Amino acid sequence: MSPTQKGVTFSFTDGKLFEDKYNLLEGVGNKTLNLRISDSKEYSDEVFEYYI
């Protein structure tokens, strides 16, 4: 988890292995994918619970 001025980024080391049913994970690495959140109001509790 990395807080920034624009929001929070969650990095998942084995993100490429995740089923990403909301298509919110991003990245170009071989293993790691990130979830970037700039406004928590954009996502439901269900989405947060799914990834976290």
Side-chain angles (χ1 to χ4, degrees):
M1 185 171 100
S2 301
T4 67
Q5 290 181 347
K6 294 182 180 182
V8 177
T9 300
F10 293 91
S11 296
F12 300 100
T13 303
D14 290 319
K16 291 279 185 173
L17 301 176
F18 289 8
E19 178 185 335
D20 185 15
K21 75 178 187 181
Y22 295 104
N23 296 315
L24 296 176
L25 295 178
E26 49 189 47
V28 294
N30 292 328
K31 290 180 67 176
T32 303
L33 290 177
N34 303 305
L35 173 64
R36 299 178 201 279
I37 298 173
S38 57
D39 184 358
S40 63
K41 295 173 189 160
E42 293 178 12
Y43 306 103
S44 68
D45 288 345
E46 180 181 333
V47 171
F48 284 121
E49 289 174 13
Y50 175 78
Y51 287 104
I52 307 303

